[in-house]
Amino acid sequence: MQMITPIYAGLLTLVFLALSIMVIRQRFAVRTSVGDAGDKGMIKRMRTQANFAEYVPLGLILMLSAELQSAPAMAVHAMGASLLVGRICHAIGMSRTPQVFLLRQIGILLTFAMLALTALGLIGHALL
């Protein structure tokens, strides 16, 4: 049986690298290697990257746990797609000036739904 979670782990890592490159480019633009130099663009890029980094690891852990508990492949793909699309929507919405709040809201909704539903499913499966 082929594992599904590594596909989404790889895709999410590529998104994280893109967000990291945005931070690095801004660091060169404002000529700072540490901190935000008081630059609003730098702060926005750093928070966009950090927000991604705060949610994705937990999502992948939950997803892998569900897959290891033999969750149906379609359910695992739904988890991965929700996390991936949610985090991309949130990053795009947050990184724009002005922010695109609808994309941020969609991203938050998809991410939180994935986390909550997967967590509840894992708990339920473990208790049965």
Side-chain angles (χ1 to χ4, degrees), residues 82-96:
S82 294
L83 185 61
L84 179 64
V85 172
R87 292 293 81 204
I88 289 172
C89 286
H90 188 271
I92 292 170
M94 189 169 178
S95 65
R96 297 286 188 252

Side-chain angles (χ1 to χ4, degrees), residues 24 29 59 61 66-67 82 90 96 103 105 108 112 122 127-128:
I24 292 166
I61 290 167
E67 190 167 14
S82 294
H90 188 271
R96 297 286 188 252
L103 281 177
Q105 291 169 338
I108 291 166
F112 280 22
L122 287 170
L127 293 175
L128 296 177

